[in-house]
């Protein structure tokens, strides 16, 4: 029989990754969570700001309710998963969402896998989930980086400024784009003191290994919330510093998320060759509390669709054994079974056009003969 290892080797890289990540999350006692492909339209509409992209696929159910194909997984998990404030609910998923593509501007199915922790989020639970993000990136490629920030630093500082909401949003966008010039212009146009502007520019300029940046972050702290945020990052680093993957963690002030939903640790993961982040996550108590009273939550998702350009679509070899047969097939199945029992992937065709194989055979007069390898 074909071994599980051989089966995995023959899968597409995305399928291999799903299996590897599922096994990883199971080892850390995360339970697989499955969900319906749709929810009531009003649920997603009420939380539209949280979701990336625009548009939802809507339809009427048999009882007349307006439903939507799932455009987001996190929202559904927070709404439906069993949760206790005094304990932790640790879940992982392999699901699809349905969104408008930035490239084609048409709806498409996007595959994701990820983990969520709901309930009592203590420092260990947060450190464990962050470490799982590191391990998840390593499963994709050894050459990766995990960029981390905290909503209690940049977003908190900007939000505390006596400025219109739209100006604050523009400043956050400057951080996301790493645009020092635009940020300076905004500061000048809105009459911010030079010292405030310098602190903002200083934050935007912070980038590097977390161990190196932490002392500089301490110097930029301006109030208790910022100090608490830096201490949280320090505690996180203490948990992972002795592992070789700790050097893959960098602080990056451009990692920002919606200030109305996220409230703590935020991070994004990148691998060499992929066009954008392939992993994103963070602490989102603010969003969770909109759906369930006093809820706490943290999680991340691996965007499998982002790997389409990173992984080749096909294996180097299509099949292990190609059998060419133009005449009678009597007795052919017996020969095929002999090769299959050896663990080989076998294909039958009349000619070899467009097919790559490790070994090519010809079947004639009830006999199998090798013609190339």
């Amino acid at each position: 029989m074909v071994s599980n290892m051989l089966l995995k080797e023959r899968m597409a890289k995305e399928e291999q990754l799903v299996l590897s990540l599922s096994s990883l999350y199971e080892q850390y006692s995360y339970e697989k969570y499955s969900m319906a492909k749709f929810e009531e339209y009003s649920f997603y509409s009420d939380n539209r700001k949280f979701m990336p992209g625009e548009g939802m696929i809507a339809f009427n159910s048999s009882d007349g309710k307006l439903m939507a194909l799932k455009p987001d997984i996190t929202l559904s998990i927070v709404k439906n998963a069993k949760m206790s404030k005094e304990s932790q609910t640790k879940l992982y998923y392999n699901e699809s969402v349905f969104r408008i593509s930035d490239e084609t501007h048409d709806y498409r199915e996007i595959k994701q896998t990820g983990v969520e922790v709901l309930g009592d989020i203590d420092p260990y639970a947060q450190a464990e989930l962050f470490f799982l993000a590191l391990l998840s990136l390593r499963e994709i490629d050894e050459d990766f980086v995990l960029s981390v920030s905290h909503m209690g630093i940049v977003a908190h500082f900007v939000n505390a400024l006596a400025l219109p909401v739209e100006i604050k949003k523009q400043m956050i966008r400057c951080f996301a784009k790493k645009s020092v010039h635009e940020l300076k212009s905004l500061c000048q146009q809105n009459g911010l003191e030079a010292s405030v502007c310098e602190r903002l520019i200083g934050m935007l300029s912070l980038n590097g290994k977390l161990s190196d940046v932490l002392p500089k972050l301490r110097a930029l702290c301006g109030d208790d919330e910022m100090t608490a945020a830096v201490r949280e990052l320090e505690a996180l680093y203490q948990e992972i510093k002795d592992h070789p993957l700790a050097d893959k963690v960098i602080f990056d002030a451009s990692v920002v998320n919606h200030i109305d939903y996220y409230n703590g640790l935020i991070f994004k993961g990148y691998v060499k060759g992929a066009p954008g982040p392939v992993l994103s996550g963070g602490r989102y108590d603010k969003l969770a509390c909109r759906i369930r009273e006093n809820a706490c939550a943290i999680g991340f998702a691996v965007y499998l669709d982002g790997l389409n350009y990173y992984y080749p679509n096909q294996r180097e070899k299509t099949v292990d054994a190609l059998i060419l047969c133009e005449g009678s097939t009597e007795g052919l199945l017996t020969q095929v079974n002999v090769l299959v029992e050896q663990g080989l992937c076998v294909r039958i065709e009349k000619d070899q056009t467009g097919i790559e194989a490790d070994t090519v055979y010809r079947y004639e007069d009830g006999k199998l003969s090798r013609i190339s390898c």
Side-chain angles (χ1 to χ4, degrees):
M1 297 298 291
V2 181
S3 69
N4 288 337
M5 183 63 71
L6 285 173
L7 282 173
K8 185 175 179 181
E9 289 175 355
R10 289 178 184 143
M11 290 179 176
K13 287 289 187 178
E14 274 189 21
E15 295 172 324
Q16 291 183 31
L17 181 61
V18 169
L19 278 180
S20 298
L21 292 179
S22 296
S23 177
L24 171 65
Y25 305 148
E26 291 274 358
Q27 284 183 288
Y28 282 81
S29 299
Y30 285 74
E31 297 181 10
K32 188 174 182 179
Y33 186 83
S34 298
M35 63 195 79
K37 292 188 180 296
F38 46 84
E39 292 266 9
E40 288 191 35
Y41 181 91
S42 59
F43 171 63
Y44 292 123
S45 180
D46 291 344
N47 295 282
R48 187 184 294 272
K49 289 183 179 179
F50 171 77
M51 299 183 297
E54 296 291 334
M56 288 182 278
I57 302 175
F59 62 95
N60 287 316
S61 65
S62 58
D63 60 359
K65 290 182 180 178
L66 185 61
M67 309 296 288
L69 280 176
K70 185 172 66 242
D72 183 84
I73 295 171
T74 298
L75 288 168
S76 294
I77 289 180
V78 174
K79 176 187 175 185
N80 298 309
K82 294 181 180 179
M83 188 190 318
S84 171
K85 186 179 179 181
E86 292 75 27
S87 61
Q88 295 172 5
T89 300
K90 298 169 60 176
L91 307 169
Y92 78 92
Y93 59 84
N94 300 309
E95 297 283 344
S96 293
V97 295
F98 301 87
R99 297 176 184 158
I100 293 180
S101 167
D102 292 333
E103 294 81 20
T104 65
H105 303 291
D106 199 2
Y107 286 103
R108 65 171 179 168
E109 180 180 4
I110 302 171
K111 297 178 181 178
Q112 296 181 5
T113 188
V115 298
E116 307 287 343
V117 181
L118 312 173
D120 180 23
I121 313 297
D122 57 22
Y124 173 79
Q126 183 161 282
E128 181 185 85
L129 183 132
F130 186 79
F131 186 64
L132 279 178
L134 283 168
L135 296 179
S136 299
L137 288 167
R138 188 176 65 178
E139 287 291 332
I140 300 171
D141 196 292
E142 295 283 344
D143 193 353
F144 73 87
V145 65
L146 184 57
S147 299
V148 63
S149 187
H150 196 291
M151 296 298 287
I153 300 175
V154 173
H156 168 71
F157 186 80
V158 170
N159 206 35
L161 297 174
L163 294 171
V165 173
E166 184 54 39
I167 300 301
K168 294 176 183 179
K169 290 180 179 179
Q170 290 180 37
M171 286 186 168
I172 293 295
R173 286 195 286 269
C174 288
F175 274 88
K177 294 188 297 182
K178 298 185 179 181
S179 178
V180 173
H181 174 74
E182 288 184 43
L183 186 58
K184 281 183 177 179
S185 296
L186 276 175
C187 290
Q188 293 168 357
Q189 292 168 12
N190 290 276
L192 290 181
E193 295 180 4
S195 60
V196 174
C197 183
E198 288 174 5
R199 288 183 67 194
L200 283 168
I201 300 301
M203 290 179 190
L204 181 53
S205 303
L206 283 179
N207 189 294
K209 287 186 178 181
L210 186 57
S211 55
D212 298 332
V213 172
L214 282 171
K216 300 173 184 177
L217 280 173
R218 291 188 212 105
L220 286 171
C221 288
D223 58 29
D224 291 343
E225 185 164 343
M226 293 181 70
T227 300
V230 174
R231 286 176 178 168
E232 194 172 319
L233 287 173
E234 290 173 334
L236 177 68
Y237 180 70
Q238 288 299 315
E239 291 287 347
I240 66 171
K241 68 176 183 179
D242 294 328
H243 194 280
L245 293 182
D247 286 340
K248 299 286 189 178
V249 181
I250 66 168
F251 179 86
D252 186 348
S254 72
V255 178
V256 290
N257 270 324
H258 201 295
I259 60 177
D260 291 334
Y261 296 101
Y262 290 88
N263 62 296
L265 191 71
I266 47 176
F267 47 89
K268 291 184 179 180
Y270 303 83
V271 294
K272 185 178 181 180
V278 298
L279 181 150
S280 180
R283 184 77 178 258
Y284 56 95
D285 295 355
K286 289 183 178 180
L287 171 68
C289 286
R290 282 175 58 95
I291 302 171
R292 298 173 74 160
E293 187 177 359
N294 298 322
C296 296
I298 186 171
F300 67 81
V302 179
Y303 303 117
L304 301 177
D305 64 305
L307 301 174
N308 288 339
Y309 302 104
Y310 178 73
Y311 283 140
N313 289 328
Q314 301 291 334
R315 301 187 304 271
E316 291 183 2
K317 299 295 182 182
T318 304
V319 291
D320 298 318
L322 172 65
I323 300 177
L324 304 179
C325 179
E326 298 182 38
S328 173
T329 61
E330 184 178 349
L332 177 57
L333 182 58
T334 299
Q335 298 288 349
V336 170
N337 288 337
V338 170
L339 297 176
V340 170
E341 289 293 330
Q342 296 173 20
L344 303 179
C345 176
V346 185
R347 181 168 174 171
I348 314 300
E349 294 289 347
K350 291 183 177 180
D351 62 66
Q352 193 180 347
T353 305
I355 302 171
E356 295 186 15
D358 288 324
T359 307
V360 181
Y361 299 87
R362 186 174 300 281
Y363 186 73
E364 289 180 319
D365 302 325
K367 295 181 181 180
L368 194 66
S369 57
R370 181 181 297 177
I371 59 176
S372 70
C373 62

